[in-house]
Amino acid sequence: MKTLTVHFTLNDAPQTLVTAAGRTLLEVLRQDFGLTGAKDACGGEGECGACTVLLDGEAVNACLVLIGQVEGRRVLTIEGLAPAGELHPIQAAFVAAGAIQCGFCTPGMVLATKALLDHTPHPDENEIRTALAGNLCRCTGYTKIVAAVQMAADKGQNER
Amino acid sequence: MSDWDVLTPQNLSELHEMLSLPSRKLIAGGTDLIPRLHRARIDEPVELIDMSRLSELHFIRENAGQIEIGALVAHTTLFTSPLLLQCAPALSKACGSIGSPQTRARGTLGGNLVNASPAADSAPPLLCLNTTALISGPAGQRQVALADFFCGPGRTCLQPGEYLHSLRFAAPAGRWGMAFAKLGRRNGMAIAVVSTCVYLELGSSGRIDTIRIAMGSVAPTPVRCPQAEAAFQGAQPAVETFDLAAAALIADISPIDDLRASKEYRLQTAQVLLKRVLADAARQTENR
Amino acid sequence: MNAETTLIGQPEIRKDAAAKADGAARYTADLALPNLTYATLLRSPHHHARICSIDTARARCLPGVIAVLTAADVPGARTFGMIPDQPVLAIDEVRHIGEPVVLVVAASLAAAKSAAAQVKITYEPLPAVLEPKPALAPGAPLVHPGGNLLAQFNVDSGDLNAGFAAATVILEEDFSVQRVTPGYMETENSLARVNADSSLSVWVSSQEPFIDRACIAAVLNLPAERIQVLSTVIGGAFGGKEDSSLAVLTAFAAWATHGTVRIVNDRRESFVAHPKRHPARIHLKLGAKKDGTLVALQGQVWMNTGAYASYGPAVGSLLTEMVTGPYHIPNVSIETQVVYTHTPYSGAMRGFGSPQAHFAIESALDMLAARLGLDAAELRRRNLLHQGDLLPTRVRVNETALGLERCLQEATAARERLRCIPATPGKVSGVGLALAMQSMGLGAKVPDTSSHRLEWLPDGRVLIHLGAPDLGQGLITVAEQITAEALELPFERVLTAPFDTRDVPDGGVTCASRMTYLVGNAMLAGAAGLKKQLLANGAALLQVPLDQLSYAHGELLLPGGRHYPASEFASRAAEAGQPLQAEAAATFPYPAETTPQHLPAGMPHVKFIFAAQVARVEVDPELGTVTVTDLVAIHDLGKVINRLTAEGQIEGGVSMGLGYALYEDMNLKANGQWVDSFTEYMLPTSRDMPTRLELHMLEYPEADGPFGAKGLAEITVVPTAPAIANAVYDAVNVRVKDLPITPEKLYAAVQ
């Protein structure tokens, strides 16, 4: 089994990892770091967004990132969005808006939202729906998710 | 996947060394390759060359009237590039319509072309721009017209050990217009059922001096449409001529039945899209 | 039902939301247990084949492999299910692509998969039948030895011939609906551990954990008491997780290896190896007088139930009851055949036959209206069910139908408003409406009790031991809200225990739009019981006559102003080892005097929910593409318990209905494989939903519902597809009678 060494920043903490080269970021996050917020819902095809994490601030599907490709880069998962016991304004908005039912898509949705609001602090509805088009949800019909994003944008969420 | 080996060249000369073993597969954004390798359930070890560190292939620049784009530029970058918005808006739009925001952040122009799906969204605009592909490898560099780059569904003219280095096309000038449209089964994460791009230039008389039409998902590869173009040459851009071009289009395309659509539907909707895109491109010339 | 409530109808925030928002919520596949091993399944590549041999020798020797199991290794019952025709692992024969044949347990998932690839199975492919009508033809390949007709349901009332004789117009049409997948984001998965005392603990993402326990017990030949089934957070279910296969396989793997095993279905497996919505063909013959009065309906339904029974018969019986929709039709004859085929099996899925039935009847009514030159809403109004009407099942409609007329009124008004919106240039717009009816409960003669327990915690909070799982829809929140209301406590002071069959009573299956009603009533009963307990305990402790004590807001009150918080008594009782608890149970009422007894078990249903939805579409006539620009959803839910979760159910149901109408189809591809990935199977994305989605929640109380509440979950997905189909017809005069409405079908007809 071929291994490689990766140095990267995970939720603001520097990491050095020696692991099999063919593993994806999703696998590593879930198995090695116990960060199970990123989910596998489509079998690693990049079709559902449930594994969305931020890579240098951009929303990406962790199932399609080879672990070596995060060398020297910053990875943010849902667990790193706010200090333990606190909620980031986007998370708080999702909770308050009733945008969370089964919750399986929620971490991906929240991070896709963060990537959007960091680039576009006051998106219109079309921009919101486009930014979330890579995140499937089967429970909510997206309505309250869009409302949550608008709520977060209105409150201004320029942190981190 | 745990048997995979990944080599990571830090520069092009390291890449060339690694390409001496032609069984190695190149990976950039991985958005096509990783799902494909998963589905194939390959059990023997796979050797990948991860191109993502090759900053030499990340560029969008203008050089003496030529626009040059490195193969590793991500679709998101292409979509937001001010240079491309100005001189190749249809390419911007096409790249912005690929997949999802997540896959656009990672997927590259080179990857989209090398994957060589007949539905590759970046291809019709690049074909309309008479793009040249720069191919590189340990043996040196060569140039190929993009139209000759695609050989069949999933196949390109890349020889073992070669890679796509960059794309180059002349920046449009004069009274030009360019438009792109794509028909998908849904609005989000849509794979093209048919896609169309038109580039045209008007002469001083207001007639069409230059016209290039390219389509996706209607042939084994993305294709130019010479018959449709010929029907248009020298014509006035107007609804009647659009209809003529659309009728001539049938000779240029050979769609098939597949999961997303039937051959007949593609034949008919290709003509509809072409008319709309022609009108859109013609409208743009009014601003120049 | 009091008019004055504090919490009922309020948008209380669900207590599990924060953990879901910050990634702390652990779903079954997220649980980390020591000594975890992994199992994978080798599945049939054939629709139908005989298994000639299974050679596991090579696989067993591979590094990390712990066990390679087949049907021969199953210690107890080798099949399971409501009708136990579903093998744990295939026995001699495979009946659908994806059927599990061999179970490989290994130290890592990669090792398990490598080993699975080394198992050699030789098959003899056999003729297969994939559609119901051919499966019923003489000489058709048999799916099961008893024949391909799994179940048949007949409902007859009145005199059909006389009815048609009195008709001025007879409409006869064929409708067909496709196979769809529940498509929950969390695929099926389970985790099982053999404990030191040889008991088994099984975590499973399931709607029916007590049934899972019973199936595991039978398959492993163990008493149910030795098996503990636990539920953690569930990532959606929609009926598709009313299936014990993963629980049984995982428990079997753990038992066989005396270890801790996890099995997770990947998305492809979820497509082919877990219940789908029944595809169906519905033939309707509808007779009406010139003024639109419906006089007769004959329905024939063929349901494709796939390779195993699952809940097929139950879906069939409910579909049969829904064919007539919310209308009074005096002369009716309906026959539904639930047919086995060699396809991935169908079972419970949100709506349970009603979406299929309503696509037919609601499309047919619009077609009839056009034939008669009547307005489609008016035609419906003339035939609407009213209180006192008799259904074809001979159930008399009670006051719950009051909301139905109002649904239609509001739908008609919405239709007029939406009609005024001008079409986008280049597009053609249309507006359509549909009514819907959904039953509540499991049907007569099926035991339908939901049992739970309430407990006063030492600190005076209340703990609900909820006997049925929350699927993500917010059942726990509704239970807590009702309990808090009944006990006059703040919402924060009521909690719910984690689900564990060793702790909670059997609450039954979370399904059938019955939980708000049953659980809510159970909570009311339990709250009354908790008050009684507290009063009795308080009287004894304080040495005060019972009639001098009263209860308010979590406290006992004595005359003269003295008051004691519940914690005073609860803490003492807990210390003494006798916590203050009360049973909280409710049974679905099927009063003998009013419930017809002539139909098979599971029929009839006696309580109903009504709704209407109105869709505005824009069609691109040159491309056939359909955009739903507006949707107005009018739902009578008796009483809104939690505003946010109720809205969420409607919004989510509409998206599922929209997918059913326009995008989703798990069909067989040209290469002989089923559609089995999200690349091919189009779920609606955020860009595919109507941007204007308007909800009207009506409250016509269900007389014996908790605070008047009915159910909501399923009906939300029922009227959407026919409303869209009717809107498309309104736009382009094309009647699509087979779902999904694809651009190709429209385009071909428009040209």
Side-chain angles (χ1 to χ4, degrees):
Chain A
M1 184 184 71
K2 310 295 192 329
T3 62
L4 48 65
T5 306
V6 199
H7 308 90
F8 65 109
T9 306
L10 176 57
N11 297 336
D12 273 346
Q15 302 290 343
T16 302
L17 183 70
V18 178
T19 190
R23 299 177 74 203
T24 64
L25 177 59
L26 179 64
E27 246 184 271
V28 168
L29 289 173
R30 288 180 58 82
Q31 290 171 25
D32 298 22
F33 292 95
L35 296 170
T36 55
K39 315 287 187 201
D40 176 357
C42 72
E45 297 200 330
E47 289 287 339
C48 70
C51 66
T52 302
V53 297
L54 298 193
L55 184 60
D56 288 337
E58 275 191 308
V60 301
N61 292 321
C63 69
L64 297 181
V65 177
L66 291 179
I67 189 59
Q69 293 179 317
V70 307
E71 171 66 37
R73 306 183 71 178
R74 284 178 5 256
V75 175
L76 182 70
T77 72
I78 191 70
E79 295 88 349
L81 196 52
E86 290 174 35
L87 287 184
H88 186 279
I90 296 174
Q91 291 167 319
F94 269 67
V95 171
I100 302 174
Q101 290 189 34
C102 87
F104 208 73
C105 77
T106 302
M109 286 284 182
V110 168
L111 289 170
T113 299
K114 175 156 172 54
L116 168 69
L117 295 182
D118 284 349
H119 281 108
T120 312
H122 299 286
D124 62 29
E125 183 173 340
N126 192 40
E127 288 169 310
I128 295 173
R129 288 184 182 272
T130 300
L132 299 182
N135 292 76
L136 294 180
C137 172
R138 193 54 154 168
C139 294
T140 67
Y142 308 99
T143 306
K144 290 188 180 345
I145 293 176
V146 171
V149 177
Q150 282 162 341
M151 196 188 287
D154 291 344
K155 289 214 163 113
Q157 62 82 53
N158 293 321
E159 290 174 33
R160 299 172 73 97
Chain B
M1 278 184 78
S2 34
D3 252 8
W4 295 6
D5 187 14
V6 181
L7 308 171
T8 311
Q10 301 295 316
N11 53 55
L12 288 180
S13 60
E14 284 184 17
L15 173 65
H16 292 175
E17 268 175 51
M18 293 170 187
L19 284 170
S20 56
L21 247 170
S23 59
R24 292 171 172 157
K25 297 187 199 309
L26 292 166
I27 186 168
T31 56
D32 284 319
L33 186 63
I34 293 182
R36 187 145 44 88
L37 291 175
H38 264 154
R39 248 175 267 138
R41 286 171 206 231
I42 295 171
D43 264 326
E44 325 86 54
V46 166
E47 277 194 306
L48 296 178
I49 301 175
D50 172 11
M51 299 178 80
S52 57
R53 302 278 140 187
L54 299 169
S55 50
E56 293 126 297
L57 299 180
H58 289 256
F59 56 84
I60 308 177
R61 60 193 176 217
E62 177 160 15
N63 191 0
Q66 297 283 316
I67 309 294
E68 298 170 347
I69 308 177
L72 292 181
V73 178
H75 298 303
T76 307
T77 311
L78 294 163
F79 180 53
T80 53
S81 152
L83 180 59
L84 288 184
L85 276 164
Q86 202 196 356
C87 41
L91 178 61
S92 288
K93 182 177 174 191
C95 292
S97 77
I98 295 174
S100 67
Q102 290 89 333
T103 55
R104 289 194 288 277
R106 299 282 299 158
T108 62
L109 187 62
N112 194 234
L113 296 172
V114 170
N115 188 50
S117 161
D121 292 314
S122 66
L126 288 171
L127 287 171
C128 280
L129 290 163
N130 261 350
T131 301
T132 305
L134 265 80
I135 296 172
S136 198
Q141 271 206 348
R142 62 189 178 100
Q143 291 177 30
V144 166
L146 189 65
D148 298 327
F149 181 76
F150 304 111
C151 298
R155 287 186 298 116
T156 68
C157 71
L158 289 175
Q159 295 301 307
E162 288 187 319
Y163 63 95
L164 180 60
H165 178 280
S166 55
L167 291 314
R168 192 182 69 227
F169 55 86
R175 288 178 68 194
W176 66 274
M178 190 183 188
F180 170 82
K182 165 175 155 181
L183 175 61
R185 272 293 279 123
R186 64 182 173 185
N187 292 327
M189 292 198 278
I191 296 178
V193 168
V194 176
S195 62
T196 313
C197 187
V198 166
Y199 171 86
L200 52 78
E201 281 171 32
L202 300 185
S204 45
S205 60
R207 290 176 173 275
I208 291 175
D209 229 14
T210 303
I211 175 127
R212 299 187 213 118
I213 301 172
M215 305 202 92
S217 298
V218 290
T221 69
V223 286
R224 282 275 295 275
C225 304
Q227 306 273 0
E229 291 170 1
F232 233 123
Q233 197 63 45
Q236 285 283 358
V239 169
E240 306 77 49
T241 48
F242 298 161
D243 286 340
L244 278 175
L249 179 66
I250 311 236
D252 288 322
I253 61 179
S254 52
I256 56 167
D257 295 327
D258 73 6
L259 186 69
R260 273 174 279 279
S262 73
K263 167 174 138 178
E264 181 56 41
Y265 180 72
R266 287 185 157 113
L267 270 171
Q268 301 306 317
T269 54
Q271 295 178 69
V272 171
L273 272 179
L274 176 58
K275 285 189 262 191
R276 294 183 185 185
V277 171
L278 281 167
D280 197 353
R283 256 193 307 276
Q284 286 177 39
T285 62
E286 289 156 23
N287 299 331
R288 304 196 198 277
Chain C
M1 285 136 298
N2 289 331
E4 294 283 324
T5 55
T6 316
L7 292 171
I8 302 302
Q10 296 306 310
E12 298 305 303
I13 303 296
R14 351 173 9 148
K15 300 191 183 86
D16 61 352
K20 288 174 174 177
D22 72 8
R26 297 259 158 185
Y27 300 76
T28 308
D30 302 330
L31 297 174
L33 291 187
N35 306 311
L36 187 58
T37 64
Y38 303 81
T40 193
L41 289 150
L42 194 47
R43 297 175 177 278
S44 166
H46 299 287
H47 297 301
H48 187 205
R50 197 170 67 81
I51 300 173
C52 303
S53 67
I54 304 178
D55 179 359
T56 61
R58 185 97 187 276
R60 286 177 203 275
C61 301
L62 289 180
V65 174
I66 300 168
V68 182
L69 305 166
T70 67
D73 299 305
V74 175
R78 293 197 300 169
T79 62
F80 66 96
M82 282 290 119
I83 291 169
D85 67 350
Q86 188 171 351
V88 176
L89 292 170
I91 304 164
D92 300 332
E93 190 178 348
V94 288
R95 298 184 175 88
H96 68 91
I97 288 178
E99 174 163 3
V101 184
V102 177
L103 179 59
V104 180
V105 188
S108 73
L109 190 56
K113 291 195 167 171
S114 297
Q118 295 299 318
V119 172
K120 303 275 171 274
I121 308 181
T122 53
Y123 292 102
E124 179 200 335
L126 297 171
V129 64
L130 307 182
E131 289 287 333
K133 288 193 199 178
L136 290 174
L142 288 182
V143 185
H144 293 275
N148 290 341
L149 183 64
L150 167 59
Q152 177 166 318
F153 299 95
N154 288 79
V155 167
D156 294 275
S157 74
D159 180 339
L160 196 68
N161 290 330
F164 281 122
T168 318
V169 158
I170 295 180
L171 182 90
E172 198 163 356
E173 297 289 346
D174 288 292
F175 300 93
S176 109
V177 288
Q178 75 286 38
R179 179 181 290 99
V180 297
T181 189
Y184 28 74
M185 287 299 116
E186 182 209 19
T187 58
E188 311 84 13
N189 61 116
S190 180
L191 174 58
R193 177 185 68 203
V194 173
N195 301 311
D197 63 359
S198 293
S199 66
L200 220 63
S201 298
V202 183
W203 290 260
V204 59
S205 181
S206 164
Q207 297 173 240
E208 47 179 41
F210 280 96
I211 293 179
D212 294 336
R213 184 179 72 169
C215 289
I216 294 168
V219 166
L220 298 185
N221 235 353
L222 294 171
E225 301 73 58
R226 286 255 297 274
I227 300 160
Q228 174 192 31
V229 178
L230 304 110
S231 178
T232 169
V233 188
I234 296 180
F238 313 114
K241 290 177 179 172
E242 289 175 48
D243 181 298
S244 300
S245 54
L246 264 286
V248 160
L249 283 164
T250 314
F252 170 44
W255 173 91
T257 59
H258 214 78
T260 306
V261 186
R262 171 169 16 249
I263 305 182
V264 180
N265 271 355
D266 64 26
R267 184 54 67 179
R268 321 196 92 82
E269 294 175 293
S270 180
F271 267 98
V272 296
H274 231 254
K276 312 284 84 141
R277 185 187 294 296
H278 282 79
R281 291 185 198 280
I282 301 177
H283 182 88
L284 280 191
K285 184 175 169 188
L286 197 51
K289 294 197 179 147
K290 208 165 68 159
D291 69 353
T293 309
L294 296 173
V295 287
L297 181 148
Q298 182 180 32
Q300 281 164 281
V301 185
W302 296 266
M303 289 166 62
N304 189 341
T305 212
Y308 295 108
S310 189
Y311 284 89
V315 178
S317 65
L318 203 148
L319 193 158
T320 307
E321 288 190 61
M322 298 289 116
V323 170
T324 47
Y327 307 104
H328 178 247
I329 309 178
N331 305 294
V332 168
S333 175
I334 301 165
E335 178 173 283
T336 299
Q337 293 180 304
V338 184
V339 186
Y340 281 123
T341 62
H342 295 107
T343 66
Y345 58 96
S346 298
M349 184 175 159
R350 195 178 193 178
F352 217 76
S354 190
Q356 295 94 320
H358 279 83
F359 177 65
I361 185 67
E362 288 301 293
S363 298
L365 281 181
D366 261 39
M367 296 172 83
L368 182 64
R371 280 270 293 269
L372 291 170
L374 281 177
D375 175 80
E378 177 58 24
L379 173 62
R380 286 171 169 82
R381 196 191 61 74
R382 291 183 187 178
N383 293 285
L384 219 50
L385 280 175
H386 294 103
Q387 183 175 4
D389 283 342
L390 221 54
L391 291 172
T393 53
R394 297 185 214 154
V395 170
R396 199 164 288 283
V397 176
N398 67 5
E399 74 286 347
T400 62
L402 289 175
L404 178 57
E405 182 135 30
R406 176 93 176 279
C407 285
L408 179 57
Q409 282 164 3
E410 297 213 4
T412 310
R415 184 187 64 176
E416 296 320 302
R417 275 189 291 114
L418 295 181
R419 276 178 170 167
C420 294
I421 302 175
T424 307
K427 303 269 178 80
V428 184
S429 65
V431 182
L433 60 79
L435 295 184
M437 174 175 174
Q438 185 74 32
S439 60
M440 289 163 59
L442 304 179
K445 298 183 242 164
V446 175
D448 195 352
T449 298
S450 190
S451 299
H452 316 273
R453 193 171 69 251
L454 297 188
E455 178 183 348
W456 284 112
L457 289 176
D459 64 5
R461 290 182 301 167
V462 170
L463 184 64
I464 302 174
H465 298 262
L466 193 66
D470 184 320
L471 312 180
Q473 84 279 49
L475 174 61
I476 286 175
T477 301
V478 164
E480 290 174 348
Q481 231 169 307
I482 288 175
T483 303
E485 180 73 45
L487 289 171
E488 302 158 17
L489 292 172
F491 180 62
E492 296 65 49
R493 298 282 291 170
V494 178
L495 324 168
T496 304
F499 183 96
D500 179 341
T501 54
R502 289 210 161 141
D503 170 48
V504 302
D506 186 348
V509 184
T510 299
C511 69
S513 300
R514 69 200 247 282
M515 293 323 259
T516 300
Y517 176 86
L518 275 184
V519 171
N521 277 338
M523 294 301 108
L524 292 176
L530 271 194
K531 280 188 211 172
K532 253 179 92 172
Q533 285 281 321
L534 192 65
L535 287 164
N537 190 274
L541 208 68
L542 297 169
Q543 303 277 301
V544 166
L546 197 52
D547 58 14
Q548 284 197 11
L549 287 173
S550 61
Y551 171 92
H553 300 289
E555 298 197 319
L556 282 191
L557 309 171
L558 279 79
R562 275 184 302 152
H563 56 103
Y564 297 91
S567 54
E568 282 293 328
F569 311 97
S571 55
R572 287 183 170 77
E575 265 165 63
Q578 306 228 314
L580 298 179
Q581 301 186 87
E583 243 198 40
T587 300
F588 214 98
Y590 293 94
E593 327 78 68
T594 52
T595 307
Q597 300 294 321
H598 65 292
L599 293 164
M603 296 170 92
H605 292 76
V606 299
K607 283 191 182 296
F608 304 97
I609 309 163
F610 298 98
Q613 289 180 8
V614 189
R616 178 180 181 277
V617 301
E618 288 198 344
V619 180
D620 184 322
E622 291 184 306
L623 298 175
T625 50
V626 177
T627 303
V628 182
T629 63
D630 297 73
L631 195 123
V632 179
I634 302 142
H635 283 262
D636 174 20
L637 19 58
K639 184 77 181 169
V640 177
I641 302 295
N642 182 304
R643 178 155 307 277
L644 287 179
T645 59
E647 289 173 356
Q649 282 298 294
I650 300 172
E651 291 156 359
V654 165
S655 75
M656 195 175 268
L658 189 147
Y660 193 44
L662 298 176
Y663 300 128
E664 298 177 39
D665 194 351
M666 186 183 147
N667 55 1
L668 198 65
K669 298 184 286 187
N671 67 359
Q673 297 301 307
W674 294 102
V675 160
D676 62 5
S677 77
F678 284 156
T679 314
E680 301 160 329
Y681 186 89
M682 309 270 97
L683 288 181
T685 70
S686 55
R687 291 189 64 201
D688 300 297
M689 282 291 286
T691 52
R692 293 184 294 264
L693 176 49
E694 194 182 302
L695 307 185
H696 299 208
M697 298 199 291
L698 307 182
E699 295 181 306
Y700 285 80
E702 181 69 33
D704 55 4
F707 300 98
K710 302 180 173 212
L712 180 61
E714 295 178 276
I715 193 168
T716 55
V717 71
V718 177
T720 324
I724 291 173
N726 290 338
V728 166
Y729 179 80
D730 187 46
V732 291
N733 259 16
V734 173
R735 173 56 63 180
V736 180
K737 295 184 288 175
D738 56 305
L739 291 181
I741 300 166
T742 61
E744 270 209 58
K745 289 177 190 171
L746 274 191
Y747 160 86
V750 167
Q751 301 314 306

